Amino acid sequence: MTDTWKPPYPAFSAKVDPTVEQMVMAYLGVQSKDEASNGKACAAFQTIRESLKLPDGPARHDLVQFVDALGCLNLIVVAYWKAPETYAKWNTSSEIAGWWASDDRLNDGVGYFREIFSPRMEQFETIFTHDYGPFEGVSVLFGNMSEPIFEHGYWGSMRDRLPISQNDTIEPSGSLTVVQGQPAAGGRVIISGHQNLTLIRSGEDWRRTEGEERRTWYEEIEPVLHQGMDFLRDDGLEVGCYSNRYCHHIDENGNPEERGFGVSFWNSLAALEHWGESHPTHLQIFVTFMRNVKKFKELTLYHEVSVFDASNQYFEYINCHPKTGLLRAV
């Protein structure tokens, strides 16, 4: 984009703490097989939540739920650490390592999954429609927003916001590999990722909306967003999307909140860009938003995008159905 570019609306990025060099993002989930096992799933989810309070636990976490394509309830903790060393201390403690490795997880009657990523800061970017709180996701760790940025509002701006893109084309290499287990058979399955696998968490907070703005969200924006999320969930492999979850926040008591996000894993940044700029399901979302953008005063939209080194990814699925997360991609 030229130096004279003027974005159509203001946007902001989280100001990263200069002392942070690398983060850890962890999606820790429990999967209920049917309504009869929802109680077991909730109890297991509570155990995971309590484990966050142990020494060296995450600096920030969210509680969300997602109903997948097979109708299974998935309860997920999204946790963030500011340093891999702190996460490693927590993860290798006897309480955490022993609990996940126990054969009891194979016999609990529910599914479990761990999806762990550790981006270096040059592999990470955020964008927000507002520069005030409440912030979302990893931005809560930093607490401050930038001045209005110029790198947004055009195709390719996501790549421009990634510092690594200044000297790296961020092409994928290698492939997803099953390290342990058989995805179709269930049990414990461990998958290794590949170079420059890409994650996007793209969210919305409509708690403060009222009147026409609230009506527009529920009647015009959310329906087309939901269609796009369902497409990626069911048919995303054809466009390079390994997995997509349309998650909604819950509070400490399990009550739904008026905010949510889609989180998806992609073969590459290029595949995510291509879907965004050319696929009808995303263009419908984009066009609908741009048509209504001037109505939005309180609706907060944001995303965080990361690319990862192959060595900084870990995927483990225990007793999950074969369409869970990256299982469906292998």
Side-chain angles (χ1 to χ4, degrees), residues 13 69 89 100 135 147 155 171 173 193-194 210 235 264 298:
S13 287
K89 290 179 183 178
W100 282 95
F135 301 139
E147 297 297 317
W155 304 123
E171 293 297 317
S173 61
H194 59 73
E210 296 179 346
D235 301 299
S264 52
E298 298 296 341

Side-chain angles (χ1 to χ4, degrees), residues 259-314:
R259 55 193 180 118
F261 58 86
V263 57
S264 52
F265 310 138
W266 293 76
N267 169 263
S268 65
L269 186 71
L272 173 56
E273 288 174 314
H274 186 66
W275 176 73
E277 67 187 18
S278 66
H279 199 276
T281 54
H282 185 264
L283 292 179
Q284 183 66 25
I285 298 169
F286 181 78
V287 170
T288 304
F289 170 74
M290 293 302 294
R291 187 174 65 242
N292 292 284
V293 66
K294 293 183 178 179
K295 298 179 182 179
F296 299 136
K297 306 300 181 184
E298 298 296 341
L299 176 68
T300 297
L301 306 178
Y302 73 95
H303 80 216
E304 57 188 48
V305 170
S306 304
V307 296
F308 308 99
D309 297 327
S311 59
N312 292 329
Q313 305 167 46
Y314 178 82

Side-chain angles (χ1 to χ4, degrees), residues 1-10 149-154:
M1 187 54 63
T2 67
D3 292 338
T4 58
W5 165 250
K6 294 182 179 180
Y9 54 91
I149 61 174
F150 292 98
E151 298 85 0
H152 80 96
Y154 59 91

